[in-house]
Amino acid sequence: MCSASSRCRASCRSSWRLAVLSSLLLPSASLEAQCPRSAWAAELFTGSAWHLPLPLVVELPEGRARLRARYSTRPFADAPYYSYRLGHAWAPGRAVEVELLHHKLYLQNPRPPVERFEVTHGYNLPTMNAVWPSSRGWQLRLGLGLVVAHPEGRIDGRAVGGGHTLLGGGYHIAGVTMQAALGRRYVLVHGRVAMTAAPEVKLTASWARIPLPHGRLSVPDVSLHALGGLGVWRCE
């Protein structure tokens, strides 16, 4: 028995620690083993994003202006940065999902006619995703969807945003988006209803055209995102 020697006791302690660590950080293959047929999932994420500098084009009756826009995300300022999604896994490592990424843009280098510009109640990216298994328990996710934007700021002496919109509340269906993501899941609580933790990196490429009371904006965005979240899986 392990109590017979200190060496054996140390070996037992190491084995126990390894077992605990394995149970807390069990890879997604174990989740699939628990749900061999199909499962439904709901997940909530937070994180941040880094933006590639891209042209911001302002079209006004007086003319057209263009600047190389640099944005920040400020994930916990004003409305927070987050993502949530619902998915149905129909085979090991394969799923279809609907996702909403509440992305945010704060313009860091305004210049006339742009006095201030931000899309912080959402450069929202609702997408439909397809998921495939990758190596070592990771999953590849590809998605297509829309840009639903809520702009704010001041351009050419006039406020941006507000007024009547099709969706109400200042929200515009402004453009299209696509995403590619790589992530995995770790089981925190086992059972027919399982709780998971998930790290993920995501690349989004979006194009949006936002109407102004006196013109319009072209607001493309390419961003790299780092997210972490929790989820609940229900096996069928």
Side-chain angles (χ1 to χ4, degrees):
M1 294 179 64
C2 283
S3 58
S5 71
S6 59
R7 180 179 298 179
C8 192
R9 284 196 299 271
S11 176
C12 286
R13 284 195 298 269
S14 297
S15 299
W16 179 82
R17 289 169 185 157
L18 181 60
V20 170
L21 183 61
S22 298
S23 68
L24 290 175
L25 299 180
L26 198 63
S28 56
S30 178
L31 179 62
E32 293 161 3
Q34 291 185 139
C35 304
R37 287 182 288 184
S38 63
W40 292 92
E43 297 175 289
L44 177 64
F45 295 83
T46 188
S48 191
W50 296 264
H51 308 260
L52 183 69
L54 290 174
L56 170 64
V57 179
V58 185
E59 298 179 45
L60 301 172
E62 298 80 10
R64 192 168 183 264
R66 179 187 178 102
L67 66 140
R68 189 172 181 81
R70 296 195 303 271
Y71 298 104
S72 64
T73 302
R74 303 181 195 172
F76 303 112
D78 304 317
Y81 172 101
Y82 63 85
S83 175
Y84 62 83
R85 63 182 177 226
L86 301 174
H88 181 241
W90 49 270
R94 298 178 183 271
V96 291
E97 302 169 334
V98 290
E99 179 176 1
L100 175 66
L101 175 62
H102 184 263
H103 192 23
K104 302 171 62 185
L105 282 67
Y106 290 84
L107 182 64
Q108 297 297 291
N109 59 327
R111 72 164 192 257
V114 181
E115 301 168 38
R116 181 176 65 87
F117 180 65
E118 56 193 53
V119 196
T120 56
H121 283 285
Y123 193 91
N124 298 288
L125 307 178
T127 58
M128 287 286 299
N129 303 333
V131 184
W132 295 271
S134 185
S135 61
R136 299 179 181 272
W138 291 86
Q139 291 179 309
L140 176 65
R141 176 172 286 100
L142 298 176
L144 293 173
L146 300 174
V147 179
V148 179
H150 188 291
E152 300 172 44
R154 193 169 183 84
I155 294 177
D156 195 33
R158 304 181 191 182
V160 175
H164 175 75
T165 61
L166 180 64
L167 299 180
Y171 290 90
H172 302 267
I173 299 176
V176 294
T177 188
M178 64 180 297
Q179 67 155 297
L182 187 66
R184 67 180 301 166
R185 295 184 179 94
Y186 297 94
V187 179
L188 302 178
V189 177
H190 297 264
R192 184 176 178 83
V193 177
M195 185 174 181
T196 61
E200 183 172 301
V201 291
K202 187 190 304 286
L203 180 69
T204 59
S206 312
W207 179 87
R209 178 165 285 175
I210 296 174
L212 301 172
H214 55 302
R216 62 185 179 184
L217 299 171
S218 293
V219 190
D221 180 71
V222 175
S223 293
L224 178 65
H225 307 250
L227 304 99
L230 297 174
V232 176
W233 280 68
R234 184 182 184 279
C235 303
E236 292 186 333

mmCIF file of all heavy atoms in Angstrom, residues 51-94:
data_model
loop_
_atom_site.group_PDB
_atom_site.id
_atom_site.type_symbol
_atom_site.label_atom_id
_atom_site.label_comp_id
_atom_site.label_asym_id
_atom_site.label_seq_id
_atom_site.Cartn_x
_atom_site.Cartn_y
_atom_site.Cartn_z
ATOM 1 N N HIS A 51 -7.774 46.047 -33.841
ATOM 2 C CA HIS A 51 -8.281 46.441 -35.151
ATOM 3 C C HIS A 51 -7.146 46.753 -36.121
ATOM 4 O O HIS A 51 -6.173 47.425 -35.759
ATOM 5 C CB HIS A 51 -9.161 47.687 -35.025
ATOM 6 C CG HIS A 51 -10.243 47.584 -34.004
ATOM 7 N ND1 HIS A 51 -11.558 47.299 -34.339
ATOM 8 C CD2 HIS A 51 -10.232 47.732 -32.659
ATOM 9 C CE1 HIS A 51 -12.289 47.276 -33.241
ATOM 10 N NE2 HIS A 51 -11.505 47.533 -32.216
ATOM 11 N N LEU A 52 -7.300 46.320 -37.353
ATOM 12 C CA LEU A 52 -6.391 46.706 -38.420
ATOM 13 C C LEU A 52 -6.778 48.105 -38.908
ATOM 14 O O LEU A 52 -7.953 48.367 -39.161
ATOM 15 C CB LEU A 52 -6.511 45.705 -39.574
ATOM 16 C CG LEU A 52 -5.580 45.901 -40.768
ATOM 17 C CD1 LEU A 52 -4.142 45.587 -40.370
ATOM 18 C CD2 LEU A 52 -6.024 45.011 -41.924
ATOM 19 N N PRO A 53 -5.820 49.046 -39.025
ATOM 20 C CA PRO A 53 -6.158 50.369 -39.560
ATOM 21 C C PRO A 53 -6.704 50.255 -40.988
ATOM 22 O O PRO A 53 -6.073 49.635 -41.851
ATOM 23 C CB PRO A 53 -4.832 51.127 -39.528
ATOM 24 C CG PRO A 53 -4.003 50.406 -38.519
ATOM 25 C CD PRO A 53 -4.403 48.970 -38.605
ATOM 26 N N LEU A 54 -7.870 50.864 -41.220
ATOM 27 C CA LEU A 54 -8.529 50.794 -42.523
ATOM 28 C C LEU A 54 -9.142 52.152 -42.854
ATOM 29 O O LEU A 54 -9.379 52.964 -41.962
ATOM 30 C CB LEU A 54 -9.616 49.721 -42.517
ATOM 31 C CG LEU A 54 -9.166 48.265 -42.464
ATOM 32 C CD1 LEU A 54 -10.370 47.345 -42.324
ATOM 33 C CD2 LEU A 54 -8.364 47.889 -43.701
ATOM 34 N N PRO A 55 -9.461 52.407 -44.124
ATOM 35 C CA PRO A 55 -10.052 53.700 -44.490
ATOM 36 C C PRO A 55 -11.457 53.873 -43.909
ATOM 37 O O PRO A 55 -12.274 52.955 -43.951
ATOM 38 C CB PRO A 55 -10.096 53.651 -46.020
ATOM 39 C CG PRO A 55 -9.122 52.597 -46.413
ATOM 40 C CD PRO A 55 -9.117 51.596 -45.304
ATOM 41 N N LEU A 56 -11.712 55.048 -43.380
ATOM 42 C CA LEU A 56 -13.055 55.507 -43.020
ATOM 43 C C LEU A 56 -13.419 56.586 -44.032
ATOM 44 O O LEU A 56 -12.732 57.601 -44.138
ATOM 45 C CB LEU A 56 -13.081 56.066 -41.605
ATOM 46 C CG LEU A 56 -14.355 56.793 -41.165
ATOM 47 C CD1 LEU A 56 -15.547 55.847 -41.142
ATOM 48 C CD2 LEU A 56 -14.154 57.441 -39.794
ATOM 49 N N VAL A 57 -14.492 56.363 -44.797
ATOM 50 C CA VAL A 57 -14.871 57.269 -45.870
ATOM 51 C C VAL A 57 -16.138 58.016 -45.472
ATOM 52 O O VAL A 57 -17.144 57.394 -45.101
ATOM 53 C CB VAL A 57 -15.089 56.513 -47.199
ATOM 54 C CG1 VAL A 57 -15.508 57.484 -48.303
ATOM 55 C CG2 VAL A 57 -13.826 55.756 -47.597
ATOM 56 N N VAL A 58 -16.084 59.348 -45.530
ATOM 57 C CA VAL A 58 -17.209 60.213 -45.188
ATOM 58 C C VAL A 58 -17.697 60.883 -46.470
ATOM 59 O O VAL A 58 -16.919 61.578 -47.148
ATOM 60 C CB VAL A 58 -16.801 61.290 -44.160
ATOM 61 C CG1 VAL A 58 -18.014 62.102 -43.728
ATOM 62 C CG2 VAL A 58 -16.102 60.669 -42.965
ATOM 63 N N GLU A 59 -18.968 60.670 -46.797
ATOM 64 C CA GLU A 59 -19.559 61.275 -47.985
ATOM 65 C C GLU A 59 -20.600 62.293 -47.536
ATOM 66 O O GLU A 59 -21.587 61.944 -46.895
ATOM 67 C CB GLU A 59 -20.188 60.202 -48.869
ATOM 68 C CG GLU A 59 -19.184 59.188 -49.388
ATOM 69 C CD GLU A 59 -19.828 58.106 -50.237
ATOM 70 O OE1 GLU A 59 -20.663 58.459 -51.087
ATOM 71 O OE2 GLU A 59 -19.502 56.930 -50.029
ATOM 72 N N LEU A 60 -20.348 63.558 -47.878
ATOM 73 C CA LEU A 60 -21.218 64.670 -47.512
ATOM 74 C C LEU A 60 -21.606 65.446 -48.765
ATOM 75 O O LEU A 60 -20.948 65.315 -49.814
ATOM 76 C CB LEU A 60 -20.484 65.606 -46.537
ATOM 77 C CG LEU A 60 -20.008 64.984 -45.212
ATOM 78 C CD1 LEU A 60 -19.137 65.982 -44.463
ATOM 79 C CD2 LEU A 60 -21.192 64.556 -44.360
ATOM 80 N N PRO A 61 -22.668 66.260 -48.682
ATOM 81 C CA PRO A 61 -23.014 67.081 -49.853
ATOM 82 C C PRO A 61 -21.865 67.968 -50.313
ATOM 83 O O PRO A 61 -21.732 68.252 -51.511
ATOM 84 C CB PRO A 61 -24.199 67.919 -49.346
ATOM 85 C CG PRO A 61 -24.788 67.115 -48.236
ATOM 86 C CD PRO A 61 -23.641 66.407 -47.596
ATOM 87 N N GLU A 62 -21.008 68.384 -49.382
ATOM 88 C CA GLU A 62 -19.894 69.266 -49.720
ATOM 89 C C GLU A 62 -18.725 68.529 -50.360
ATOM 90 O O GLU A 62 -17.792 69.150 -50.878
ATOM 91 C CB GLU A 62 -19.395 69.997 -48.468
ATOM 92 C CG GLU A 62 -20.424 70.900 -47.806
ATOM 93 C CD GLU A 62 -21.408 70.136 -46.920
ATOM 94 O OE1 GLU A 62 -21.172 68.934 -46.666
ATOM 95 O OE2 GLU A 62 -22.428 70.735 -46.522
ATOM 96 N N GLY A 63 -18.725 67.200 -50.269
ATOM 97 C CA GLY A 63 -17.614 66.456 -50.827
ATOM 98 C C GLY A 63 -17.342 65.171 -50.056
ATOM 99 O O GLY A 63 -18.103 64.777 -49.166
ATOM 100 N N ARG A 64 -16.227 64.572 -50.379
ATOM 101 C CA ARG A 64 -15.862 63.254 -49.839
ATOM 102 C C ARG A 64 -14.551 63.379 -49.085
ATOM 103 O O ARG A 64 -13.597 63.993 -49.570
ATOM 104 C CB ARG A 64 -15.728 62.273 -51.006
ATOM 105 C CG ARG A 64 -15.636 60.808 -50.665
ATOM 106 C CD ARG A 64 -15.807 60.036 -51.972
ATOM 107 N NE ARG A 64 -15.803 58.609 -51.757
ATOM 108 C CZ ARG A 64 -14.743 57.818 -51.894
ATOM 109 N NH1 ARG A 64 -13.568 58.373 -52.234
ATOM 110 N NH2 ARG A 64 -14.823 56.525 -51.711
ATOM 111 N N ALA A 65 -14.510 62.805 -47.882
ATOM 112 C CA ALA A 65 -13.285 62.804 -47.080
ATOM 113 C C ALA A 65 -12.920 61.366 -46.731
ATOM 114 O O ALA A 65 -13.798 60.513 -46.568
ATOM 115 C CB ALA A 65 -13.476 63.630 -45.810
ATOM 116 N N ARG A 66 -11.627 61.142 -46.595
ATOM 117 C CA ARG A 66 -11.131 59.787 -46.315
ATOM 118 C C ARG A 66 -9.993 59.885 -45.323
ATOM 119 O O ARG A 66 -9.088 60.699 -45.492
ATOM 120 C CB ARG A 66 -10.670 59.153 -47.635
ATOM 121 C CG ARG A 66 -10.098 57.750 -47.540
ATOM 122 C CD ARG A 66 -9.544 57.390 -48.911
ATOM 123 N NE ARG A 66 -8.934 56.077 -48.932
ATOM 124 C CZ ARG A 66 -9.508 55.000 -49.437
ATOM 125 N NH1 ARG A 66 -10.723 55.081 -49.964
ATOM 126 N NH2 ARG A 66 -8.884 53.829 -49.432
ATOM 127 N N LEU A 67 -10.046 59.048 -44.281
ATOM 128 C CA LEU A 67 -8.929 58.986 -43.348
ATOM 129 C C LEU A 67 -8.624 57.544 -42.999
ATOM 130 O O LEU A 67 -9.497 56.675 -43.102
ATOM 131 C CB LEU A 67 -9.221 59.784 -42.078
ATOM 132 C CG LEU A 67 -10.328 59.297 -41.153
ATOM 133 C CD1 LEU A 67 -9.905 59.460 -39.718
ATOM 134 C CD2 LEU A 67 -11.608 60.088 -41.398
ATOM 135 N N ARG A 68 -7.385 57.298 -42.634
ATOM 136 C CA ARG A 68 -6.971 55.955 -42.231
ATOM 137 C C ARG A 68 -7.303 55.816 -40.750
ATOM 138 O O ARG A 68 -6.603 56.351 -39.882
ATOM 139 C CB ARG A 68 -5.486 55.752 -42.507
ATOM 140 C CG ARG A 68 -5.013 54.313 -42.322
ATOM 141 C CD ARG A 68 -3.586 54.180 -42.816
ATOM 142 N NE ARG A 68 -3.079 52.832 -42.680
ATOM 143 C CZ ARG A 68 -3.327 51.842 -43.532
ATOM 144 N NH1 ARG A 68 -4.090 52.064 -44.581
ATOM 145 N NH2 ARG A 68 -2.809 50.643 -43.352
ATOM 146 N N ALA A 69 -8.371 55.090 -40.476
ATOM 147 C CA ALA A 69 -8.936 55.051 -39.125
ATOM 148 C C ALA A 69 -8.206 54.035 -38.256
ATOM 149 O O ALA A 69 -7.945 52.901 -38.673
ATOM 150 C CB ALA A 69 -10.419 54.712 -39.185
ATOM 151 N N ARG A 70 -7.895 54.469 -37.034
ATOM 152 C CA ARG A 70 -7.368 53.574 -36.003
ATOM 153 C C ARG A 70 -8.398 53.519 -34.877
ATOM 154 O O ARG A 70 -8.787 54.556 -34.322
ATOM 155 C CB ARG A 70 -6.021 54.068 -35.478
ATOM 156 C CG ARG A 70 -4.922 54.078 -36.531
ATOM 157 C CD ARG A 70 -3.541 54.212 -35.887
ATOM 158 N NE ARG A 70 -3.442 55.409 -35.060
ATOM 159 C CZ ARG A 70 -3.066 56.593 -35.501
ATOM 160 N NH1 ARG A 70 -2.774 56.766 -36.785
ATOM 161 N NH2 ARG A 70 -2.988 57.631 -34.686
ATOM 162 N N TYR A 71 -8.812 52.307 -34.538
ATOM 163 C CA TYR A 71 -9.857 52.115 -33.538
ATOM 164 C C TYR A 71 -9.305 51.392 -32.316
ATOM 165 O O TYR A 71 -8.351 50.616 -32.398
ATOM 166 C CB TYR A 71 -11.010 51.273 -34.106
ATOM 167 C CG TYR A 71 -11.726 51.870 -35.282
ATOM 168 C CD1 TYR A 71 -11.497 51.386 -36.569
ATOM 169 C CD2 TYR A 71 -12.640 52.903 -35.118
ATOM 170 C CE1 TYR A 71 -12.164 51.920 -37.667
ATOM 171 C CE2 TYR A 71 -13.312 53.442 -36.201
ATOM 172 C CZ TYR A 71 -13.066 52.952 -37.473
ATOM 173 O OH TYR A 71 -13.722 53.490 -38.555
ATOM 174 N N SER A 72 -9.932 51.634 -31.168
ATOM 175 C CA SER A 72 -9.719 50.813 -29.981
ATOM 176 C C SER A 72 -11.055 50.165 -29.620
ATOM 177 O O SER A 72 -12.115 50.578 -30.096
ATOM 178 C CB SER A 72 -9.191 51.654 -28.817
ATOM 179 O OG SER A 72 -10.149 52.614 -28.424
ATOM 180 N N THR A 73 -11.003 49.162 -28.739
ATOM 181 C CA THR A 73 -12.202 48.410 -28.365
ATOM 182 C C THR A 73 -12.774 48.847 -27.024
ATOM 183 O O THR A 73 -14.001 48.914 -26.861
ATOM 184 C CB THR A 73 -11.889 46.899 -28.316
ATOM 185 O OG1 THR A 73 -11.408 46.486 -29.605
ATOM 186 C CG2 THR A 73 -13.118 46.088 -27.968
ATOM 187 N N ARG A 74 -11.909 49.128 -26.021
ATOM 188 C CA ARG A 74 -12.358 49.475 -24.677
ATOM 189 C C ARG A 74 -13.452 48.506 -24.210
ATOM 190 O O ARG A 74 -14.609 48.883 -24.024
ATOM 191 C CB ARG A 74 -12.868 50.908 -24.619
ATOM 192 C CG ARG A 74 -11.862 51.956 -25.072
ATOM 193 C CD ARG A 74 -12.433 53.345 -24.965
ATOM 194 N NE ARG A 74 -11.652 54.320 -25.707
ATOM 195 C CZ ARG A 74 -12.022 55.590 -25.901
ATOM 196 N NH1 ARG A 74 -13.150 56.036 -25.368
ATOM 197 N NH2 ARG A 74 -11.263 56.396 -26.598
ATOM 198 N N PRO A 75 -13.100 47.247 -23.995
ATOM 199 C CA PRO A 75 -14.121 46.205 -23.826
ATOM 200 C C PRO A 75 -15.049 46.394 -22.635
ATOM 201 O O PRO A 75 -16.177 45.887 -22.662
ATOM 202 C CB PRO A 75 -13.289 44.919 -23.677
ATOM 203 C CG PRO A 75 -11.941 45.384 -23.242
ATOM 204 C CD PRO A 75 -11.741 46.714 -23.904
ATOM 205 N N PHE A 76 -14.606 47.110 -21.585
ATOM 206 C CA PHE A 76 -15.440 47.244 -20.389
ATOM 207 C C PHE A 76 -15.935 48.673 -20.175
ATOM 208 O O PHE A 76 -16.480 48.995 -19.122
ATOM 209 C CB PHE A 76 -14.681 46.742 -19.160
ATOM 210 C CG PHE A 76 -14.215 45.319 -19.317
ATOM 211 C CD1 PHE A 76 -12.859 45.025 -19.434
ATOM 212 C CD2 PHE A 76 -15.130 44.293 -19.396
ATOM 213 C CE1 PHE A 76 -12.431 43.719 -19.597
ATOM 214 C CE2 PHE A 76 -14.711 42.975 -19.566
ATOM 215 C CZ PHE A 76 -13.365 42.691 -19.669
ATOM 216 N N ALA A 77 -15.762 49.535 -21.181
ATOM 217 C CA ALA A 77 -16.294 50.893 -21.107
ATOM 218 C C ALA A 77 -17.649 50.932 -21.797
ATOM 219 O O ALA A 77 -17.881 50.228 -22.785
ATOM 220 C CB ALA A 77 -15.338 51.871 -21.784
ATOM 221 N N ASP A 78 -18.551 51.788 -21.263
ATOM 222 C CA ASP A 78 -19.884 51.936 -21.847
ATOM 223 C C ASP A 78 -20.548 50.557 -21.938
ATOM 224 O O ASP A 78 -20.526 49.806 -20.984
ATOM 225 C CB ASP A 78 -19.808 52.640 -23.206
ATOM 226 C CG ASP A 78 -19.107 53.990 -23.114
ATOM 227 O OD1 ASP A 78 -19.399 54.725 -22.159
ATOM 228 O OD2 ASP A 78 -18.268 54.289 -23.981
ATOM 229 N N ALA A 79 -21.146 50.240 -23.081
ATOM 230 C CA ALA A 79 -21.708 48.894 -23.262
ATOM 231 C C ALA A 79 -20.559 47.907 -23.421
ATOM 232 O O ALA A 79 -19.669 48.119 -24.244
ATOM 233 C CB ALA A 79 -22.601 48.855 -24.492
ATOM 234 N N PRO A 80 -20.511 46.819 -22.637
ATOM 235 C CA PRO A 80 -19.341 45.937 -22.663
ATOM 236 C C PRO A 80 -19.245 45.118 -23.949
ATOM 237 O O PRO A 80 -20.230 44.909 -24.663
ATOM 238 C CB PRO A 80 -19.572 45.022 -21.455
ATOM 239 C CG PRO A 80 -21.050 45.014 -21.267
ATOM 240 C CD PRO A 80 -21.514 46.387 -21.644
ATOM 241 N N TYR A 81 -18.036 44.673 -24.219
ATOM 242 C CA TYR A 81 -17.768 43.730 -25.302
ATOM 243 C C TYR A 81 -18.174 42.334 -24.824
ATOM 244 O O TYR A 81 -17.799 41.905 -23.736
ATOM 245 C CB TYR A 81 -16.277 43.773 -25.627
ATOM 246 C CG TYR A 81 -15.771 42.727 -26.591
ATOM 247 C CD1 TYR A 81 -15.529 43.043 -27.925
ATOM 248 C CD2 TYR A 81 -15.506 41.431 -26.164
ATOM 249 C CE1 TYR A 81 -15.036 42.094 -28.810
ATOM 250 C CE2 TYR A 81 -15.028 40.471 -27.039
ATOM 251 C CZ TYR A 81 -14.790 40.805 -28.357
ATOM 252 O OH TYR A 81 -14.313 39.855 -29.226
ATOM 253 N N TYR A 82 -18.921 41.600 -25.659
ATOM 254 C CA TYR A 82 -19.319 40.241 -25.286
ATOM 255 C C TYR A 82 -19.740 39.487 -26.541
ATOM 256 O O TYR A 82 -19.925 40.064 -27.623
ATOM 257 C CB TYR A 82 -20.474 40.251 -24.266
ATOM 258 C CG TYR A 82 -21.754 40.874 -24.786
ATOM 259 C CD1 TYR A 82 -22.686 40.145 -25.510
ATOM 260 C CD2 TYR A 82 -22.035 42.223 -24.554
ATOM 261 C CE1 TYR A 82 -23.845 40.721 -25.989
ATOM 262 C CE2 TYR A 82 -23.193 42.810 -25.025
ATOM 263 C CZ TYR A 82 -24.097 42.048 -25.749
ATOM 264 O OH TYR A 82 -25.246 42.634 -26.235
ATOM 265 N N SER A 83 -19.923 38.190 -26.372
ATOM 266 C CA SER A 83 -20.488 37.351 -27.426
ATOM 267 C C SER A 83 -21.329 36.274 -26.761
ATOM 268 O O SER A 83 -20.994 35.794 -25.669
ATOM 269 C CB SER A 83 -19.378 36.709 -28.263
ATOM 270 O OG SER A 83 -19.925 35.798 -29.207
ATOM 271 N N TYR A 84 -22.418 35.916 -27.400
ATOM 272 C CA TYR A 84 -23.162 34.742 -26.952
ATOM 273 C C TYR A 84 -23.614 33.954 -28.171
ATOM 274 O O TYR A 84 -23.774 34.496 -29.261
ATOM 275 C CB TYR A 84 -24.352 35.101 -26.054
ATOM 276 C CG TYR A 84 -25.428 35.963 -26.676
ATOM 277 C CD1 TYR A 84 -26.430 35.403 -27.465
ATOM 278 C CD2 TYR A 84 -25.453 37.335 -26.456
ATOM 279 C CE1 TYR A 84 -27.423 36.188 -28.024
ATOM 280 C CE2 TYR A 84 -26.448 38.128 -27.006
ATOM 281 C CZ TYR A 84 -27.434 37.541 -27.787
ATOM 282 O OH TYR A 84 -28.416 38.329 -28.343
ATOM 283 N N ARG A 85 -23.783 32.639 -27.967
ATOM 284 C CA ARG A 85 -24.211 31.807 -29.081
ATOM 285 C C ARG A 85 -24.987 30.586 -28.598
ATOM 286 O O ARG A 85 -24.809 30.122 -27.466
ATOM 287 C CB ARG A 85 -23.036 31.390 -29.946
ATOM 288 C CG ARG A 85 -21.985 30.539 -29.296
ATOM 289 C CD ARG A 85 -20.858 30.264 -30.294
ATOM 290 N NE ARG A 85 -19.783 29.499 -29.677
ATOM 291 C CZ ARG A 85 -18.501 29.786 -29.802
ATOM 292 N NH1 ARG A 85 -18.095 30.823 -30.514
ATOM 293 N NH2 ARG A 85 -17.584 29.050 -29.209
ATOM 294 N N LEU A 86 -25.824 30.097 -29.480
ATOM 295 C CA LEU A 86 -26.601 28.875 -29.285
ATOM 296 C C LEU A 86 -26.226 27.912 -30.400
ATOM 297 O O LEU A 86 -26.138 28.321 -31.575
ATOM 298 C CB LEU A 86 -28.098 29.160 -29.326
ATOM 299 C CG LEU A 86 -28.628 30.154 -28.291
ATOM 300 C CD1 LEU A 86 -30.109 30.446 -28.555
ATOM 301 C CD2 LEU A 86 -28.443 29.623 -26.871
ATOM 302 N N GLY A 87 -26.005 26.644 -30.046
ATOM 303 C CA GLY A 87 -25.564 25.697 -31.051
ATOM 304 C C GLY A 87 -26.181 24.332 -30.891
ATOM 305 O O GLY A 87 -26.666 23.968 -29.808
ATOM 306 N N HIS A 88 -26.167 23.577 -31.978
ATOM 307 C CA HIS A 88 -26.611 22.185 -31.975
ATOM 308 C C HIS A 88 -25.511 21.336 -32.570
ATOM 309 O O HIS A 88 -25.154 21.495 -33.744
ATOM 310 C CB HIS A 88 -27.895 22.019 -32.790
ATOM 311 C CG HIS A 88 -28.410 20.613 -32.792
ATOM 312 N ND1 HIS A 88 -28.550 19.866 -33.942
ATOM 313 C CD2 HIS A 88 -28.789 19.808 -31.770
ATOM 314 C CE1 HIS A 88 -29.009 18.664 -33.631
ATOM 315 N NE2 HIS A 88 -29.164 18.609 -32.322
ATOM 316 N N ALA A 89 -24.933 20.467 -31.741
ATOM 317 C CA ALA A 89 -23.913 19.529 -32.196
ATOM 318 C C ALA A 89 -24.611 18.262 -32.682
ATOM 319 O O ALA A 89 -25.342 17.626 -31.922
ATOM 320 C CB ALA A 89 -22.948 19.197 -31.056
ATOM 321 N N TRP A 90 -24.398 17.915 -33.937
ATOM 322 C CA TRP A 90 -25.105 16.777 -34.524
ATOM 323 C C TRP A 90 -24.185 15.582 -34.787
ATOM 324 O O TRP A 90 -24.650 14.509 -35.169
ATOM 325 C CB TRP A 90 -25.787 17.195 -35.821
ATOM 326 C CG TRP A 90 -24.896 17.942 -36.765
ATOM 327 C CD1 TRP A 90 -24.708 19.286 -36.823
ATOM 328 C CD2 TRP A 90 -24.073 17.387 -37.786
ATOM 329 N NE1 TRP A 90 -23.811 19.615 -37.808
ATOM 330 C CE2 TRP A 90 -23.407 18.477 -38.425
ATOM 331 C CE3 TRP A 90 -23.814 16.092 -38.232
ATOM 332 C CZ2 TRP A 90 -22.524 18.298 -39.471
ATOM 333 C CZ3 TRP A 90 -22.927 15.911 -39.274
ATOM 334 C CH2 TRP A 90 -22.294 16.997 -39.884
ATOM 335 N N ALA A 91 -22.874 15.754 -34.559
ATOM 336 C CA ALA A 91 -21.892 14.681 -34.686
ATOM 337 C C ALA A 91 -20.662 15.124 -33.904
ATOM 338 O O ALA A 91 -20.513 16.315 -33.610
ATOM 339 C CB ALA A 91 -21.539 14.424 -36.152
ATOM 340 N N PRO A 92 -19.768 14.190 -33.525
ATOM 341 C CA PRO A 92 -18.588 14.586 -32.751
ATOM 342 C C PRO A 92 -17.792 15.705 -33.410
ATOM 343 O O PRO A 92 -17.310 15.578 -34.535
ATOM 344 C CB PRO A 92 -17.775 13.290 -32.683
ATOM 345 C CG PRO A 92 -18.797 12.212 -32.768
ATOM 346 C CD PRO A 92 -19.846 12.736 -33.707
ATOM 347 N N GLY A 93 -17.689 16.839 -32.693
ATOM 348 C CA GLY A 93 -16.910 17.975 -33.169
ATOM 349 C C GLY A 93 -17.582 18.808 -34.232
ATOM 350 O O GLY A 93 -17.017 19.808 -34.679
ATOM 351 N N ARG A 94 -18.798 18.467 -34.637
ATOM 352 C CA ARG A 94 -19.484 19.184 -35.715
ATOM 353 C C ARG A 94 -20.765 19.807 -35.185
ATOM 354 O O ARG A 94 -21.509 19.168 -34.439
ATOM 355 C CB ARG A 94 -19.796 18.252 -36.887
ATOM 356 C CG ARG A 94 -18.546 17.667 -37.521
ATOM 357 C CD ARG A 94 -18.892 16.714 -38.649
ATOM 358 N NE ARG A 94 -17.676 16.116 -39.195
ATOM 359 C CZ ARG A 94 -16.967 16.633 -40.182
ATOM 360 N NH1 ARG A 94 -17.374 17.766 -40.752
ATOM 361 N NH2 ARG A 94 -15.877 16.042 -40.620
#
